[in-house]
Amino acid sequence: MAVAETQLYAKVSNKHRSRSTSVLLESLLAKGFPAHIAQKALAATGQKTIEDAAKWLHSHCNDPSLDDPIPQEYALYLCPTGRLHSRLQEFWKESKRQCGKNRAHEIFPHVTLCDFFTCEDQKVELLYDALKRIGDNFLHCFPPSISLSLHSSPSYLGFFIGDSHANILKEFALAFSSEALALADCHVKPCLKQLHLTLAHKFYPHHQKTLEQLAKCINPGETCQWVAALYSRDMRFVHYQTLRALFQYKPQNIDELMINAGDFIYVDPTQQSDVSEGWVVGTSHRTGCRGFVPENYTERVNESDTWVKHRQVEVSQVEYVFVTASRFFTQTEKEPNVKLNGEVNDPNMSRSVTNVLSLQNATLRRGVLVMRHGERVDQVFGKSWLQQCLTADGKYYRADLNFPSTLPKRKDSMNHFEYDPPLSCCGIFQSRLIGEALLDQEVTVSYVYSSPALRCIQTAQHLLQGLKLDQKVKIRVEPGLFEWTKWEASRVIPNFMTVTELAEASYKIDTSYRGNFPLSSLVPSESYEEYVSRSSTVIKQIITACPSKGKGLILIVGHGSSLASFTRPLLGLPARDSSDFAQVVRKIPSLGMCFCEEIKEENKWQMVNPPVKTLTHGANAAFNWRNGIVED
């Protein structure tokens, strides 16, 4: 146990513990669970149902911290619902699509009434009582509408609450603070500064105009119910990164973590320096257990995704609803249409957002699709894959069905394939499948550029076959598209197959193309600054060399590093910090892709959703029928 947790344990253990009379608690006690563990389960699940608490207890049966009396942290938020919430969610989605993620996307739309504070597990119901009492007292003086005014600066965008209404909310928060102290012994700090609802925070200054334009589509006078609700989080992982498992993973070693798809994992960034590449060490939100997890099985999510909203339980009202009237809509106005998928669609508001987007879409000219290559053989069989496929006299044979059936002929030694590996058979299938999906979406590719790495050229070839364009569009081999050379295991530039050799091996190569960045100019172990400069120069030269052809795309097949290094210069974004860059690249899967579209009239590019989905698949370990079938 960490020192801070040990001190906290001692502090909490010395406090007087009162036994709750909750019906839920009594049910858990009747099942034989100790009181302190049952209370922990109820607090962690928001005191919703016996089933939720029992499921939590079952999942945490091996949690080493199960007996630790470390409380949850709670915050009181005022959250909009109804039409206003729908408009805010639309803004959240559209601002992220057009300008990328900013700090506001980390949490849902809310007004902070009280900062996070701790409450002992056995006193959570008393905290609910405090909220209910204050809610009853303020029900009749809550304003009929909340005045919201848009405020913008180069790093902040949001609605400020008018003084008269803000004063009532501050009184509400102050009263809750006093009641929580009296009933539940909680030291709550109410927010007494400018109350606000943040729309965007810590974004790039050049995105301010776009964000303002989107924010002006939100009518702050929309019909709304404001809900004062308690949210809780695990205080031990406040400064951790939160990952979500994309696939199930069954441990192969004792120090690895069992995860199911959808599980959340807490990761301390400061503890990853000694972890093997491709792995992270973290703690499971579902089980409380700690271990290693394959990083490409996860994606980064928001901390608030693990927060628990505490809902109504028996007679204890955990959230308090205040109904406010609309300032701009009458009671006879038509309600929003509800789609089959449950989304709210209001023609009045949707039209204003759509108008902004349609103006942009009308001016789109060119598209650039940047894609990582498909699965490579050494990704599956390790760096020594070639030794597994060579006979005693040095001839290639297929040692596993996922090895390619043959290797292309090259004049120099076959051993050069070790540092310039081909696609696996699954990688070939993946590539052709993406090409077929692009064909189904009627996507036309006018130009194809590829890194000189064999895996990239093969990916481009099979993509074109899936698109049925392999007889019409040729591949331009561009050495400047090769990945950051510092990551090359050999510390030298690989001996790539020549353009002539590739053409003789039946790859559809544009033999007349001369690269913008000669192969001889690639520097071994180049600095990050050199790589960024090379990438920026090459993508701009490619764009200049490819005039618009209707809806035809420029397809660039490169490496995991390509997705950021070739799109950010187009978007006018600075390069990421080298350590952040490495973390982003490690999570990009085979055939991961980014799509940029040009808005020519505004002389800029924007990132939008790719025309097709990516391909997700699970691991398939090697199998020998002897093991466990006929042999012990």
Side-chain angles (χ1 to χ4, degrees):
M1 192 186 302
V3 174
E5 292 181 5
T6 304
Q7 294 172 346
L8 182 60
Y9 184 97
K11 178 180 177 182
V12 176
S13 295
N14 291 332
K15 289 192 174 185
H16 173 70
R17 295 178 175 274
S18 60
R19 179 174 292 273
S20 170
T21 58
S22 164
V23 174
L24 293 175
L25 178 59
E26 290 175 355
S27 298
L28 292 175
L29 294 176
K31 293 178 181 292
F33 293 109
H36 68 288
I37 292 180
Q39 289 164 342
K40 180 187 283 283
L42 289 171
T45 57
Q47 303 248 12
K48 295 181 182 69
T49 66
I50 297 172
E51 290 75 17
D52 286 340
K55 182 179 179 180
W56 187 95
L57 287 165
H58 176 74
S59 298
H60 285 259
C61 60
N62 295 317
D63 184 348
S65 66
L66 191 61
D67 285 318
D68 295 348
I70 299 175
Q72 296 276 307
E73 276 191 325
Y74 297 81
L76 182 62
Y77 287 164
L78 188 68
C79 302
T81 64
R83 286 182 176 177
L84 179 58
H85 180 262
S86 298
R87 305 300 166 254
L88 292 168
Q89 289 293 79
E90 178 68 24
F91 172 86
W92 245 249
K93 179 180 178 181
E94 197 58 37
S95 63
K96 188 175 182 179
R97 187 182 76 86
Q98 292 196 34
C99 303
K101 187 175 180 179
N102 62 67
R103 290 290 293 275
H105 291 113
E106 293 285 339
I107 308 178
F108 42 82
H110 71 282
V111 177
T112 301
L113 296 180
C114 297
D115 292 338
F116 274 99
F117 59 93
T118 59
C119 179
E120 297 173 55
D121 295 338
Q122 70 271 24
K123 296 182 179 179
V124 174
E125 284 196 54
L126 300 175
L127 196 61
Y128 300 164
D129 292 340
L131 179 58
K132 185 178 187 307
R133 288 190 188 185
I134 301 305
D136 289 342
N137 293 339
F138 276 78
L139 184 59
H140 300 294
C141 63
F142 197 84
S145 65
I146 292 182
S147 173
L148 301 174
S149 59
L150 189 63
H151 174 80
S152 178
S153 73
S155 63
Y156 176 85
L157 182 74
F159 288 120
F160 281 4
I161 297 178
D163 289 343
S164 60
H165 297 158
N167 289 337
I168 297 174
L169 295 177
K170 290 176 183 178
E171 290 176 10
F172 177 85
L174 192 61
F176 172 74
S177 174
S178 299
E179 197 72 14
L181 178 62
L183 290 182
D185 194 23
C186 294
H187 295 273
V188 181
K189 181 182 178 182
C191 292
L192 301 178
K193 296 181 180 180
Q194 174 69 61
L195 296 185
H196 56 275
L197 192 157
T198 299
L199 297 175
H201 182 41
K202 291 191 176 180
F203 47 84
Y204 288 108
H206 65 274
H207 284 151
Q208 183 181 359
K209 183 178 178 181
T210 302
L211 291 169
E212 284 180 359
Q213 191 176 22
L214 290 172
K216 288 175 181 176
C217 295
I218 304 172
N219 187 340
E222 290 277 18
T223 302
C224 177
Q225 284 186 336
W226 291 91
V227 177
L230 287 165
Y231 288 84
S232 69
R233 66 184 183 186
D234 193 322
M235 64 186 296
R236 297 172 297 168
F237 305 113
V238 170
H239 300 296
Y240 284 44
Q241 290 179 355
T242 306
L243 306 180
R244 177 169 52 215
L246 298 170
F247 319 106
Q248 183 187 57
Y249 179 75
K250 295 181 179 179
Q252 308 296 312
N253 297 292
I254 194 171
D255 58 354
E256 295 173 4
L257 193 61
M258 170 69 187
I259 56 173
N260 295 328
D263 281 1
F264 293 107
I265 301 108
Y266 299 111
V267 172
D268 184 352
T270 65
Q271 297 179 358
Q272 306 306 310
S273 58
D274 297 329
V275 178
S276 301
E277 184 177 351
W279 293 81
V280 293
V281 59
T283 302
S284 169
H285 171 73
R286 179 176 61 86
T287 66
C289 296
R290 179 179 169 85
F292 290 93
V293 175
E295 191 171 18
N296 62 349
Y297 276 51
T298 67
E299 64 178 352
R300 179 83 177 270
V301 293
N302 302 326
E303 179 204 345
S304 61
D305 290 344
T306 63
W307 293 0
V308 175
K309 182 179 181 181
H310 291 249
R311 301 189 177 183
Q312 186 167 321
V313 182
E314 296 293 327
V315 296
S316 299
Q317 187 171 348
V318 182
E319 60 184 35
Y320 219 95
V321 181
F322 302 96
V323 182
T324 61
S326 168
R327 291 179 290 162
F328 298 99
F329 296 89
T330 64
Q331 295 296 323
T332 58
E333 183 179 10
K334 291 183 179 180
E335 288 299 311
N337 297 323
V338 179
K339 298 180 182 179
L340 292 177
N341 62 1
E343 295 179 359
V344 177
N345 177 33
D346 178 18
N348 296 307
M349 190 58 199
S350 298
R351 202 174 297 121
S352 60
V353 176
T354 303
N355 288 342
V356 175
L357 301 180
S358 62
L359 289 173
Q360 295 175 343
N361 291 333
T363 60
L364 294 179
R365 293 294 182 268
R366 288 182 291 179
V368 175
L369 186 62
V370 183
M371 185 181 302
R372 188 189 179 195
H373 56 77
E375 180 185 87
R376 48 195 272 186
V377 289
D378 60 336
Q379 187 178 336
V380 183
F381 300 103
K383 296 296 182 184
S384 61
W385 69 272
L386 191 57
Q387 282 67 48
Q388 302 172 44
C389 300
L390 295 179
T391 61
D393 56 355
K395 293 182 179 179
Y396 175 83
Y397 76 98
R398 197 178 190 182
D400 184 282
L401 288 180
N402 202 18
F403 282 111
S405 56
T406 60
L407 292 178
K409 293 182 180 180
R410 55 188 302 166
K411 293 182 177 63
D412 53 16
S413 171
M414 186 182 293
N415 290 331
H416 289 305
F417 282 124
E418 183 175 352
Y419 296 110
D420 185 24
L423 293 179
S424 66
C425 276
C426 284
I428 293 171
F429 168 75
Q430 293 171 337
S431 305
R432 191 169 293 134
L433 189 64
I434 293 292
E436 292 171 355
L438 289 168
L439 180 63
D440 289 341
Q441 294 300 314
E442 300 181 352
V443 173
T444 302
V445 173
S446 298
Y447 305 95
V448 178
Y449 288 82
S450 171
S451 159
L454 178 58
R455 56 192 179 275
C456 298
I457 292 165
Q458 290 179 321
T459 299
Q461 172 93 348
H462 293 289
L463 269 165
L464 288 173
Q465 288 178 358
L467 275 162
K468 297 183 179 179
L469 290 175
D470 51 312
Q471 301 302 320
K472 299 179 181 179
V473 181
K474 292 189 175 182
I475 302 167
R476 296 177 175 180
V477 179
E478 174 53 66
L481 296 177
F482 189 57
E483 65 183 341
W484 186 10
T485 59
K486 180 182 177 181
W487 287 344
E488 277 300 295
S490 61
R491 299 301 179 191
V492 297
I493 304 302
N495 284 336
F496 300 115
M497 292 179 66
T498 66
V499 168
T500 302
E501 286 176 327
L502 291 166
E504 290 175 352
S506 299
Y507 294 106
K508 305 300 181 181
I509 304 297
D510 184 349
T511 55
S512 65
Y513 176 74
R514 296 295 177 265
N516 295 295
F517 203 92
L519 189 60
S520 59
S521 300
L522 285 178
V523 180
S525 298
E526 66 189 329
S527 68
Y528 181 60
E529 290 70 23
E530 288 173 326
Y531 170 68
V532 168
S533 176
R534 164 164 66 92
S535 301
S536 179
T537 299
V538 168
I539 188 63
K540 290 174 182 177
Q541 289 173 337
I542 288 175
I543 296 300
T544 302
C546 298
S548 176
K549 275 191 177 182
K551 294 183 179 179
L553 301 181
I554 303 169
L555 172 63
I556 295 176
V557 182
H559 307 266
S561 55
S562 304
L563 273 69
S565 60
F566 298 134
T567 59
R568 290 179 74 87
L570 281 183
L571 301 172
L573 299 177
R576 288 184 175 275
D577 179 84
S578 59
S579 59
D580 292 338
F581 177 75
Q583 291 297 322
V584 169
V585 172
R586 288 170 68 178
K587 297 183 180 181
I588 295 173
S590 300
L591 292 169
M593 63 184 82
C594 287
F595 188 42
C596 294
E597 288 181 332
E598 182 185 35
I599 308 175
K600 196 168 185 179
E601 280 73 5
E602 298 184 26
N603 192 29
K604 71 176 185 179
W605 292 75
Q606 68 175 6
M607 186 88 77
V608 296
N609 288 328
V612 297
K613 302 293 185 182
T614 51
L615 175 67
T616 302
H617 60 85
N620 195 52
F623 173 69
N624 187 324
W625 58 271
R626 295 181 185 278
N627 298 337
I629 305 298
V630 296
E631 295 179 355
D632 294 332

